[in-house]
Amino acid sequence: MLRIVTCGADHHSIIRPILQSIGWDEHYIVAFETLPAQFARQPDRMSGYVGFREGEPVGFVFVEHHLWNGLSQIQGLAVHAAYQRQGIAAELVHKAEQFAISCQARGIYVDTPVTNTGGRRFYEAIGYQLGYIMPRYYENALDGVTYQKFFDA
Ligand SMILES: CC(C)(COP(=O)(O)OP(=O)(O)OC[C@H]1O[C@@H](n2cnc3c(N)ncnc32)[C@H](O)[C@@H]1OP(=O)(O)O)[C@@H](O)C(=O)NCCC(=O)NCCS
């Protein structure tokens, strides 16, 4: 069973082992380690969730609501390599969507590298639509792609 808890600033140590297990570069890990504290600061429009299996942290997601356009944004989603394809990310994203809906969001979106085939298949599998490609978004040679889900669709 998956237990999902709201991420607090004290959860910062769960980030590194999960991202190391999926081989992310150190500069991304360092940046993601700042998210628990950052997202705990404004709980009315930012939230994070951590999934635990038998007491072990196995995945996380962060979501931010943008007041200016009424859309929420998934800022980070990862599941430990040993726990993938067990429905954990789908449950975490569901929590993020519930948070977005509680903020009266029109919809939710996420950016990911065009080369992230697994991530793209995941979002397509849970009903997200391809929005647009952003040339050079991550690096000069690495475009981004945005997936969206509108709650009235
Ligand atoms: C993408 C990621 C979050 C998916 O996590 P997960 O817990 O394995 O996903 P789920 O088990 O909830 O997958 C639900 C469905 O999505 C699809 N899916 C998930 N991962 C997939 C993959 N690598 N290839 C193809 N389809 C995939 C499948 O249809 C899956 O259902 P199934 O296993 O019954 O076939 C995980 O692979 C990960 O952490 N990747 C690295 C970080 C990342 O890419 N984050 C997302 C972009 S920000």
Side-chain angles (χ1 to χ4, degrees):
M1 204 187 112
L2 185 70
R3 188 171 66 93
I4 299 181
V5 305
T6 300
C7 186
D10 53 334
H11 281 110
H12 117 281
S13 63
I14 65 106
I15 302 289
R16 177 168 291 273
I18 292 171
L19 294 183
Q20 279 179 336
S21 81
I22 54 178
W24 277 25
D25 284 351
E26 180 64 19
H27 75 282
Y28 285 123
I29 295 176
V30 169
F32 270 72
E33 283 179 319
T34 67
L35 295 186
Q38 196 183 315
F39 275 68
R41 232 175 270 140
Q42 287 184 270
D44 54 324
R45 59 175 206 90
M46 297 168 106
S47 193
Y49 300 96
V50 185
F52 288 86
R53 272 269 173 86
E54 287 154 15
E56 287 300 312
V58 294
F60 62 79
V61 66
F62 292 92
V63 55
E64 175 176 5
H65 182 63
H66 298 294
L67 287 170
W68 72 274
N69 64 353
L71 291 178
S72 294
Q73 178 179 11
I74 292 172
Q75 298 269 20
L77 166 69
V79 171
H80 192 289
Y83 293 87
Q84 291 183 3
R85 301 304 287 264
Q86 297 176 34
I88 292 172
E91 283 196 51
L92 288 167
V93 168
H94 181 66
K95 284 293 282 187
E97 290 174 357
Q98 285 181 322
F99 176 79
I101 288 167
S102 79
C103 294
Q104 323 288 338
R106 296 186 294 125
I108 188 164
Y109 69 96
V110 61
D111 306 320
T112 199
V114 288
T115 50
N116 182 8
T117 312
R120 296 182 65 172
R121 295 295 90 84
F122 166 73
Y123 285 113
E124 289 160 4
I126 62 165
Y128 282 58
Q129 311 284 329
L130 194 152
Y132 55 93
I133 304 281
M134 289 171 290
R136 303 173 65 171
Y137 185 64
Y138 289 96
E139 296 167 18
N140 281 333
L142 183 55
D143 295 349
V145 57
T146 297
Y147 281 90
Q148 312 167 303
K149 178 175 177 179
F150 286 93
F151 297 133
D152 63 358

